Amino acid sequence: MTQILEIRDLKALAKRRVPKLFFDYADSGAWTEGTYRANEEDFAKIKLRQRVLVDMSNRSLETTMIGQKVSMPVALAPTGLTGMQHADGEMLAAQAAEVFGVPFTLSTMSICSIEDVASVTTKPFWFQLYVMREREFVLNLIDRAKAAKCSALVLTLDLQILGQRHKDLRNGLSAPPRMTPKHLWQMATRPGWCMKMLGTNRRTFRNIVGHAKSVTDLSSLGAWTTEQFDPQLSWKDVEWIKERWGGPLILKGILDPEDAKMAAKTGADAIIVSNHGGRQLDGAPSSISMLPRIVDAVGHQIEVHLDGGIRSGQDVLKAIALGAQGTFIGRPFLYGLGAMGKEGVTLALDIIRKEMDITMALCGKRSITDVSRDILTE
């Protein structure tokens, strides 16, 4: 491949460089993957208005997300196992995001720990929290994020139980991978990935191992993660988490206007319209199809962000036009990371920035803060 011009080019390269079980983890959804596909496909149904003979000079994509300045309305989404797409993946992605001027969100289920990422960054990053049954561990996670000076907490609401993802089950996904003949072959055919992984000691869930009481070694980790997601999580839990955290709070996983209204009452700073990348309830509507209804319901009360299906700068622009203040990208930066490491993450962000900038100009706008539904056709 001589030129990388779009996110799908990075995806193709990542597929050649990352072992199948980890590439499939990023590139899959629950059950039939219908919602996963709809997240992307529904963006294509939204059409843009072309405008001409307007001043296109001095354009700006700068805006804010939860009051924090960003170079464009994009944050790197929390993604599990990022450090299995590329050695030290979370650390590299966080560094790329910092230089680019966009937020990086570290997942609870990351390979590199909160402290690992804090050690290689100079600006605050965001931390995503899963609420586990072991409450002492959750409180400790919040305190660790505060100690690392994280500037926002992203509380995920839509993973009380784990949706079934056929590819992960068929691949026997784990971190580190089990040394079965199948897995050994998958890794042996990706020598570059193997060499980089041999150069790091970060190969398991470092936010958990050594911090959760019942996880004493790798053999106990798998059972812990499958049993620990709390099916009794409720709106009451948001209250004590918000109090313990004491900083900006974003609620992720809202897909219904009624839930959006409940979220707005919690006093959180923002919500993320999301279906977990199509990885939880297959058959649910796409994130972008629900965005206008949720913005209409609560956009005057709470900041609304969007996650799911974004593969281009045009997708970001469409989300902003429909009322989102910001967006989150997961797979695009994972493809970049798997393809080219930190340079690939920067390239993914740059591709999205250029697409958004040119499209905004061709729609007759010079500033992202002026973009509204009037750039869309009926």
Side-chain angles (χ1 to χ4, degrees):
M1 188 178 295
T2 53
Q3 279 188 300
I4 294 175
L5 301 175
E6 52 188 338
I7 297 300
R8 78 173 87 183
D9 295 335
L10 289 171
K11 179 179 178 178
L13 188 55
K15 190 172 184 177
R16 297 207 303 267
R17 293 185 173 177
V18 179
K20 184 178 185 295
L21 75 162
F22 295 123
F23 179 83
D24 281 356
Y25 174 78
D27 189 46
S28 63
W31 284 307
T32 70
E33 299 188 341
T35 297
Y36 167 49
R37 291 190 300 273
N39 273 350
E40 290 187 50
E41 292 166 357
D42 284 357
F43 271 105
K45 298 173 185 175
I46 302 167
K47 301 303 176 185
L48 300 159
R49 288 178 69 198
Q50 177 179 299
R51 304 303 303 275
V52 298
L53 298 182
V54 293
D55 186 355
M56 295 180 181
S57 62
N58 301 316
R59 298 185 304 279
S60 174
L61 296 176
E62 276 194 14
T63 183
T64 60
M65 292 174 69
I66 58 165
Q68 299 177 20
K69 196 174 184 179
V70 292
S71 64
M72 62 179 180
V74 172
L76 298 195
T79 55
L81 293 167
T82 302
M84 286 291 148
Q85 301 296 323
H86 188 286
D88 298 336
E90 291 91 353
M91 296 161 72
L92 300 178
Q95 289 177 320
E98 180 178 300
V99 172
F100 213 90
V102 297
F104 169 77
T105 317
L106 182 70
S107 169
T108 292
M109 304 305 292
S110 61
I111 301 300
C112 302
S113 68
I114 297 169
E115 294 78 12
D116 289 332
V117 174
S119 72
V120 296
T121 52
T122 60
K123 295 176 184 175
F125 55 95
W126 296 355
F127 180 68
Q128 174 271 334
L129 179 70
Y130 283 126
V131 180
M132 308 296 196
R133 295 176 195 255
E134 194 177 307
R135 286 293 191 264
E136 191 176 334
F137 169 71
V138 176
L139 293 169
N140 180 246
L141 267 180
I142 295 170
D143 293 344
R144 288 167 61 198
K146 286 168 72 171
K149 296 183 170 53
C150 291
S151 55
L153 186 72
V154 178
L155 175 60
T156 296
L157 308 178
D158 60 357
L159 208 143
Q160 291 166 270
I161 58 172
L162 196 64
Q164 184 163 311
R165 302 152 192 175
H166 295 332
K167 286 179 183 174
D168 291 350
L169 293 171
R170 290 185 175 120
N171 285 329
L173 181 75
S174 66
R178 298 182 188 92
M179 292 299 144
T180 66
K182 178 173 72 175
H183 294 145
L184 287 169
W185 171 252
Q186 287 183 17
M187 289 184 284
T189 55
R190 303 291 186 268
W193 181 91
C194 288
M195 290 303 294
K196 290 182 177 69
M197 291 303 296
L198 287 171
T200 182
N201 62 354
R202 300 177 183 93
R203 303 190 200 103
T204 189
F205 299 105
R206 285 167 62 91
N207 279 330
I208 299 170
V209 176
H211 297 280
K213 280 185 177 179
S214 50
V215 180
T216 53
D217 54 30
L218 294 181
S219 62
S220 58
L221 177 63
W224 187 88
T225 53
T226 52
E227 293 168 2
Q228 274 293 318
F229 292 108
D230 189 354
Q232 294 184 318
L233 184 67
S234 73
W235 290 107
K236 291 179 182 176
D237 292 301
V238 177
E239 190 176 333
W240 66 259
I241 291 166
K242 185 176 185 293
E243 185 178 342
R244 181 75 173 211
W245 167 243
L249 178 66
I250 302 172
L251 302 180
K252 181 176 183 285
I254 301 294
L255 202 64
D256 186 277
E258 291 305 310
D259 285 336
K261 290 173 185 175
M262 294 288 286
K265 291 176 184 175
T266 66
D269 297 86
I271 59 173
I272 305 175
V273 178
S274 173
N275 52 35
H276 215 95
R279 295 166 64 77
Q280 282 295 94
L281 178 60
D282 189 39
S286 68
S287 298
I288 192 65
S289 71
M290 294 305 298
L291 176 64
R293 290 171 59 186
I294 290 172
V295 168
D296 289 346
V298 300
H300 59 292
Q301 296 174 268
I302 191 170
E303 199 166 292
V304 180
H305 301 167
L306 178 114
D307 164 74
I310 290 171
R311 300 294 181 270
S312 70
Q314 287 203 341
D315 293 341
V316 175
L317 196 71
K318 289 172 182 178
I320 300 303
L322 289 171
Q325 176 71 18
T327 64
F328 284 72
I329 60 167
R331 291 178 177 98
F333 97 79
L334 290 179
Y335 297 147
L337 182 67
M340 303 168 61
K342 181 163 71 172
E343 182 188 350
V345 177
T346 300
L347 184 53
L349 287 167
D350 200 46
I351 287 168
I352 285 173
R353 181 190 64 78
K354 287 176 181 174
E355 290 171 343
M356 195 187 334
D357 176 53
I358 293 170
T359 303
M360 182 177 73
L362 293 174
C363 288
K365 301 292 184 182
R366 293 194 296 173
S367 173
I368 195 71
T369 56
D370 293 333
V371 169
S372 65
R373 295 188 193 188
D374 70 359
I375 71 163
L376 306 176
T377 61
E378 291 300 322

